Amino acid sequence: MFTLSVNTLLMSTSARLRDRRVTLERRATASRAVRTSLVSLAGLVGGPVTNQAGEEVGRVVDVVARLYGEEPYPPVTGLILRIGRRHTFLASDAIGKVHAGHVRLRTARIDLRDFARRPGEVLLARDVLDHQLVDVDGVQVTRAADLYLAPLVDRVVLVGVDVSLPTLLRRLGPRRWQARPTPERVLDWQAVAPFAEQATDGPSEVRLRASRTALHRLRPADLADILEDLGRSERQQLLGWLEPERAADALEEMEPAELENLLREAQPDHAARLVDEMEPDEATDALRDLTREEREALLTRMPKKEAAELRRLLTHREGTAGGAMTTLLVTAHRDETIAEVRARLAEQAEHRTEIDAVVCVDTDGRLLCDISLFDLAVAEDAAPVADLVAWLAQFGPPVTVHADTALPEAADQLVAARASSLLVVDDGDRPIGRILADDLLDAMLPERGRLHFRRFLQ
């Protein structure tokens, strides 16, 4: 019985290994087939277009694709041909076969038209090749050294982007090299968000849908890295694609010098909207780096209430608690229930990164205690805030600083209190803001506060 079981196990293992070998061989064969079917756009441009008899009728100038449609891989909708001195458009239904370096037509009779760009169409060589692209999977800005086309049933589609240096060198070589695909480092098109000036000719709702599909899953820090790497026009285009709230989150993660340049490059109305969406302390830091004239140009375009708040924050000196604090505070009173406070806290969900406690004040606005989110979470819904205030009193009063407290002193108090934030109070012990541990780190160590770990590892 034991010998039979061992033989059965060996036979089963052998069968699995054989099946795996067959699968790997099929996969390798399929990979070679895909590789041999790829057509280099760089090698195609300038190549001949021949009819069924093999006679040359023109040369490829560019390839037109519907870049911002619903398809995962953009279909080729036609070619721009040079026939004599004339540039004309050849629709895709006349294309018979796209080879490496040349195109064969489906029929001897072709309909040549003047080219008129339709919604979502892009000239691949002019608008995408050698332009900046965002690799969403790798979270980096790169440049298209080549684009690869592939036949798919009855049409040709754009399937990938080559971003390797050898491909750039290939394009500088003889014509016979240029048409030969070298897909050593190719990004799947579905992992790419393009930036091309002419892409905006498509309807905005199509362009935005396609771009957000690729970019929506990136974290604010990743978007910040991308914004810092993009050129001026490309990053303004990316900002236009993003909702103001999401764009503001990314701006808060940018290096100060890069953020300063971005705000100067943007249209004043758009820059003012972005600053208005930022958290108060981050917006103050951004405005502080601008000239007085530039600050006023943005503040005058913001809602009066928000502009007045930022002007007040700007009166605090840099390097002090007031200069680094946020004025976003969630307050509670003794006669409220825990459930009521939680409901008010839920309304501030979009500011979750700026809130780590709830301030309890008396009827005159003076500080009673600082309730951590943990203490609030474990308390009973029906319990009055007064009970929680009385229980927290045994641990002593909360640690506070004044607006003119130097940041090193505030840091010492934060460490001594083993807290994640400190309340900033006025001379009447009324809370006016909160300085968070990460903001304190950013202010004291500007060159190390915002570490972009992805870049560091690269």
Side-chain angles (χ1 to χ4, degrees):
M1 179 67 70
F2 177 74
T3 303
L4 179 62
S5 298
V6 170
N7 289 337
T8 303
L9 178 61
L10 290 174
M11 291 175 63
S12 175
T13 302
S14 177
R16 284 200 301 271
L17 290 174
R18 183 172 61 252
D19 291 343
R20 177 171 174 78
R21 184 172 63 252
V22 171
T23 300
L24 291 174
E25 288 174 353
R26 287 176 178 171
R27 186 176 299 171
T29 302
S31 178
R32 285 193 295 272
V34 170
R35 184 187 182 105
T36 56
S37 69
L38 294 178
V39 176
S40 162
L41 174 73
L44 192 63
V45 172
V49 179
T50 60
N51 58 23
Q52 288 179 311
E55 300 169 334
E56 183 176 321
V57 298
R59 293 269 170 173
V60 177
V61 174
D62 213 326
V63 176
V64 184
R66 188 167 59 248
L67 204 65
Y68 295 109
E70 297 292 341
E71 299 89 344
Y73 296 102
V76 170
T77 58
L79 303 173
I80 305 294
L81 304 184
R82 184 177 71 249
I83 301 178
R85 296 184 177 181
R86 180 186 175 195
H87 284 192
T88 187
F89 177 71
L90 176 70
S92 60
D93 55 10
I95 300 173
K97 184 72 174 178
V98 178
H99 301 277
H102 77 279
V103 176
R104 185 179 294 275
L105 300 180
R106 187 187 302 275
T107 175
R109 300 182 62 183
I110 57 176
D111 180 16
L112 298 177
R113 321 167 191 171
D114 290 332
F115 173 63
R117 190 194 300 267
R118 293 175 295 182
E121 286 187 332
V122 168
L123 303 181
L124 294 182
R126 190 184 77 175
D127 298 336
V128 182
L129 190 64
D130 295 322
H131 282 65
Q132 284 185 313
L133 303 162
V134 173
D135 170 12
V136 180
D137 287 341
V139 192
Q140 62 183 333
V141 176
T142 186
R143 194 171 293 274
D146 201 355
L147 303 177
Y148 289 133
L149 310 173
L152 180 65
V153 190
D154 59 345
R155 59 180 177 170
V156 178
V157 297
L158 172 61
V159 294
V161 182
D162 193 326
V163 296
S164 63
L165 179 60
T167 296
L168 287 174
L169 299 178
R170 164 173 62 84
R171 290 173 53 191
L172 298 175
R175 174 70 190 172
R176 66 179 182 276
W177 292 1
Q178 295 176 13
R180 187 181 307 160
T182 52
E184 300 303 326
R185 188 183 171 203
V186 179
L187 305 178
D188 188 297
W189 181 258
Q190 294 186 77
V192 169
F195 289 89
E197 291 295 330
Q198 298 303 320
T200 59
D201 285 3
S204 58
E205 64 273 12
V206 175
R207 175 172 58 84
L208 288 170
R209 181 169 61 250
S211 303
R212 287 176 184 167
T213 297
L215 294 167
H216 78 280
R217 64 178 181 269
L218 295 182
R219 299 173 303 167
D222 294 332
L223 282 172
D225 284 335
I226 289 172
L227 285 169
E228 290 171 1
D229 289 339
L230 285 172
R232 175 175 178 172
S233 61
E234 288 85 1
R235 65 179 173 186
Q236 291 302 324
Q237 186 178 0
L238 174 55
L239 284 175
W241 289 359
L242 299 172
E243 296 86 355
E245 299 84 358
R246 184 160 170 75
D249 289 341
L251 264 57
E252 291 172 4
E253 299 292 333
M254 290 182 67
E255 297 292 341
E258 294 289 346
L259 176 56
E260 179 183 345
N261 290 335
L262 184 147
L263 292 177
R264 287 194 171 118
E265 295 164 1
Q267 293 295 322
D269 287 337
H270 190 206
R273 175 73 185 278
L274 292 173
V275 173
D276 183 37
E277 292 292 343
M278 295 172 68
E279 297 295 346
D281 55 329
E282 300 285 355
T284 303
D285 288 341
L287 290 173
R288 207 185 295 275
D289 292 332
L290 303 177
T291 65
R292 179 176 299 178
E293 293 75 15
E294 290 168 336
R295 280 198 299 271
E296 284 303 313
L298 299 186
L299 289 169
T300 54
R301 288 172 167 81
M302 292 172 57
K304 291 183 178 179
K305 180 180 178 181
E306 286 75 6
E309 181 64 20
L310 291 178
R311 283 194 174 95
R312 186 174 70 82
L313 285 173
L314 285 166
T315 61
H316 297 293
R317 290 183 295 108
E318 196 170 8
T320 64
M325 71 180 181
T326 177
T327 55
L328 181 63
L329 296 174
V330 177
T331 58
H333 294 86
R334 293 170 55 91
D335 56 352
E336 292 182 300
T337 65
I338 296 297
E340 290 173 329
V341 178
R342 283 181 185 151
R344 189 179 309 118
L345 186 64
E347 296 172 358
Q348 300 294 332
E350 62 182 299
H351 302 291
R352 58 170 59 89
T353 58
E354 298 290 304
I355 300 171
D356 67 344
V358 172
V359 187
C360 183
V361 296
D362 63 18
T363 54
D364 293 325
R366 294 188 182 88
L367 176 65
L368 293 176
C369 72
D370 201 20
I371 306 172
S372 72
L373 296 188
F374 177 82
D375 290 330
L376 195 68
V378 299
E380 295 289 339
D381 284 348
V385 172
D387 289 352
L388 192 53
V389 171
W391 182 78
L392 290 172
Q394 64 180 308
F395 302 107
V399 179
T400 61
V401 294
H402 288 86
D404 57 357
T405 301
L407 287 180
E409 181 182 343
D412 290 340
Q413 296 220 40
L414 184 73
V415 172
R418 295 179 177 267
S420 59
S421 68
L422 291 175
L423 282 173
V424 183
V425 297
D426 62 15
D427 292 337
D429 208 29
R430 297 178 180 86
I432 59 173
R434 184 183 296 277
I435 180 168
L436 301 165
D438 62 332
D439 292 331
L440 191 61
L441 182 64
D442 288 341
M444 295 185 64
L445 302 173
E447 73 283 0
R448 295 170 57 192
R450 291 184 175 91
L451 291 177
H452 296 281
F453 291 105
R454 177 186 62 79
R455 281 186 179 180
F456 177 75
L457 293 175
Q458 287 181 344

